[in-house]
Amino acid sequence: MSHADHADRTDLTRRKHRRRDPSQGTPYALRGPARRGLRLSTVITFSTAALLGAATALSFAPPAAAEPATPVPYAAGASATRYSGLAFDTCTAPALEAMRAWTASPYRAVGVYFGGVNRTCAQPELTPSWVASVGALKWRLLPIYKGLQPPCGAKPTDAKISLVPAAARSQGIAAATDAIAKAKALGMQPGSAFYNDIEFYSQTDSACRTAVLTYLSSWTKELHRLGYVSGVYMNLNLGAKQLSDVYASTAYARPDALWVARYDNVDSLRGWTGVADSKWAVHQRAKQFRGDHNETHGGTTIWIDSNRLDTPVATLAYSYTVTSTTALNARTGPSGAYPITRSHAPRAALKVVCQTPGQKVGGTTVWNKLSDGSYVSDRYVSTPSATGYSSPLPRCLYPYQVTAAGGLSERTGPGASHPARATLPNGSLAWVYCQRAGSKVGTTTVWNRLENGRYASDYYVANPSNTTYSKPVPRC
């Protein structure tokens, strides 16, 4: 995906069984990834009328624990971060001065090649200090990992994925482990999304196809196992369709986000040839729509690719201080009712990962989640806003894939009796920010409150438990 690795330009213009939502009673109607760039994906919703059909008897099969959706046990201090808008990527991370100048550009996210055996870009600027400084400038980071490449494609000199499936699986695990280590060293936090750059390859070589899909499946499963979000970058015509073809296959774990390359100067995240709009449908898509070119902003010129994103990106920790005159208590949840884990002295430094609603303290209901997983009231922290949320801090979110083959209802409350307002398609991400009790579905009474305020039964999302609450998601 580096500038030296573009594919042929002529082409580039180039856990659960199928079932219905038991709270619905009738079948759902179905609704509708890298070289460099992204575009906004629209969540497709259905009216209640579209969901009506012939009533059928329901059965509760036990949730499957295998692919394509694998559970994500997020660490205590984890949170996912999402970005919607324009992004650019370039081979070598620009100097901080250039990033400061480019705050005048339409881009607010930047792709960075942070690791991988086939990364060819020198990265003298890409340091923990650079990451923290760029984050403070309100840039989102799109982490790109250029690991092993297809045995039937990419550059002849690239290190390749093995054609032996067992070896390809091991290589995928090793890539995920290496990506996490390198990202951590740069200051990226648990819950970050990493994009595995797979360059163009032959679409007719079945052994090669199996090798690539096996490698990416293991990449995804290992990232999930360790509490991270999985992304894949592929050429739309020379890779992405094959990933789309196994979207619901039980043989492969499905990545959380897809970033495609197609240089047609169209930044739409819908209408991709070979990838139905119903796949990777809920803030899970990116498109690199324009290849190598110069752009100048704030008096600084950079050679870039352009992208449109609506997708998970890196999670960072932002530096603030305690503003209270007495010690500030950190708690296990966003309320004074939660146990105290430790106290922070006045003017002590804090590393804030995200913000979430909680008990009102002073004039604000905002609480800050720290990198150790504890919470402090925003009333006593030096964030820009005294009463509301503060940029660039994201909301605390925990995305899990939807496992219901026919889709999952978004309801106005935590129970089957509440009206359904929309549908989350199979494999889409349920962006959860808290959990609470509601009516029983399958083996659980837990319902997930989504970022849009609606509720979805926890029985049909790939988090660690289908019987009780899943840490570190707070209670509503």
Side-chain angles (χ1 to χ4, degrees):
M1 151 165 191
S2 67
H3 291 269
D5 299 325
H6 288 294
D8 177 39
R9 297 295 179 136
T10 59
D11 181 82
L12 285 178
T13 54
R14 331 198 332 199
R15 95 200 154 216
K16 291 164 181 157
H17 302 298
R18 179 177 179 85
R19 61 170 76 86
R20 298 167 187 153
D21 177 357
S23 69
Q24 180 66 30
T26 54
Y28 276 101
L30 288 177
R31 314 175 295 160
R35 288 202 24 117
R36 290 197 198 121
L38 305 147
R39 153 82 187 173
L40 190 63
S41 157
T42 303
V43 179
I44 309 169
T45 59
F46 288 87
S47 66
T48 302
L51 301 176
L52 297 177
T56 342
L58 296 173
S59 62
F60 290 95
E67 295 83 343
T70 57
V72 188
Y74 291 110
S79 179
T81 300
R82 200 175 69 217
Y83 170 76
S84 297
L86 291 173
F88 77 92
D89 63 275
T90 188
C91 191
T92 297
L96 183 59
E97 294 75 15
M99 295 301 298
R100 187 175 289 112
W102 270 50
T103 57
S105 77
Y107 304 100
R108 296 308 311 149
V110 57
V112 290
Y113 293 86
F114 73 103
V117 66
N118 284 313
R119 183 181 69 169
T120 57
C121 313
Q123 297 293 0
E125 302 291 340
L126 190 56
T127 64
S129 176
W130 185 92
V131 168
S133 298
V134 167
L137 290 171
K138 302 184 180 181
W139 287 95
R140 299 300 189 202
L141 299 185
L142 181 66
I144 306 160
Y145 186 86
K146 187 154 188 219
L148 297 171
Q149 292 300 304
C152 60
K155 296 189 298 185
T157 55
D158 284 341
K160 306 287 186 175
I161 300 166
S162 175
L163 287 168
V164 179
R169 280 191 290 272
S170 296
Q171 290 171 333
I173 292 171
T177 303
D178 183 56
I180 291 171
K182 286 183 167 55
K184 280 184 174 181
L186 289 169
M188 299 180 199
Q189 302 296 304
S192 291
F194 306 139
Y195 290 79
N196 198 316
D197 175 2
I198 299 293
E199 295 296 326
F200 64 96
Y201 64 98
S202 169
Q203 303 297 281
T204 58
D205 188 323
S206 61
C208 181
R209 169 187 178 275
T210 298
V212 172
L213 295 176
T214 300
Y215 171 81
L216 291 177
S217 179
S218 289
W219 158 267
T220 294
K221 290 176 70 175
E222 188 67 2
L223 286 181
H224 282 180
R225 187 182 73 82
L226 297 172
Y228 291 80
V229 179
S230 167
V232 172
Y233 167 98
M234 281 182 158
N235 181 284
L236 179 60
N237 294 332
L238 299 175
K241 182 183 181 301
Q242 295 198 342
L243 195 64
S244 176
D245 288 346
V246 297
Y247 185 83
S249 170
T250 59
Y252 303 105
R254 177 173 51 226
D256 301 300
L258 178 62
W259 177 10
V260 302
R262 180 160 179 78
Y263 300 150
D264 55 6
N265 293 322
V266 176
D267 69 353
S268 175
L269 296 181
R270 296 172 53 80
W272 294 351
T273 302
V275 182
D277 288 341
S278 60
K279 299 176 179 179
W280 297 286
V282 183
H283 309 297
Q284 297 168 269
R285 287 189 171 206
K287 183 181 179 183
Q288 190 175 66
F289 62 87
R290 186 182 179 191
D292 293 342
H293 65 284
N294 276 324
E295 285 193 26
T296 302
H297 300 282
T300 298
T301 301
I302 307 177
W303 182 252
I304 67 168
D305 292 334
S306 296
N307 308 264
R308 170 69 67 174
L309 283 64
D310 184 17
T311 191
V313 291
T315 294
L316 305 180
Y318 299 85
S319 297
Y320 297 99
T321 59
V322 175
T323 61
S324 58
T325 58
T326 59
L328 175 62
N329 290 330
R331 299 180 179 273
T332 59
S335 165
Y338 286 92
I340 298 172
T341 61
R342 62 173 296 185
S343 294
H344 296 275
R347 296 180 298 281
L350 301 175
K351 290 292 186 180
V352 180
V353 169
C354 59
Q355 296 185 311
T356 193
Q359 179 189 28
K360 190 172 185 178
V361 177
T364 185
T365 59
V366 176
W367 285 66
N368 299 306
K369 184 177 181 179
L370 307 184
S371 58
D372 64 358
S374 64
Y375 294 80
V376 295
S377 170
D378 193 53
R379 171 67 178 81
Y380 302 108
V381 180
S382 65
T383 53
S385 175
T387 58
Y389 296 95
S390 295
S391 177
L393 289 168
R395 301 289 182 92
C396 301
L397 290 172
Y398 311 91
Y400 305 97
Q401 290 188 24
V402 169
T403 61
L408 175 61
S409 287
E410 294 183 17
R411 298 186 175 274
T412 58
S417 63
H418 294 273
R421 296 304 188 202
T423 300
L424 289 167
N426 177 39
S428 66
L429 290 179
W431 293 84
V432 178
Y433 81 83
C434 63
Q435 295 181 315
R436 61 165 294 176
S439 66
K440 189 171 185 178
V441 176
T443 59
T444 187
T445 59
V446 175
W447 283 69
N448 298 303
R449 187 168 187 182
L450 309 176
E451 59 160 344
N452 60 11
R454 297 175 183 147
Y455 291 83
S457 171
D458 193 55
Y459 187 69
Y460 290 95
V461 298
N463 55 24
S465 176
N466 274 114
T467 58
T468 187
Y469 298 96
S470 292
K471 295 179 179 182
V473 184
R475 304 287 180 92
C476 297

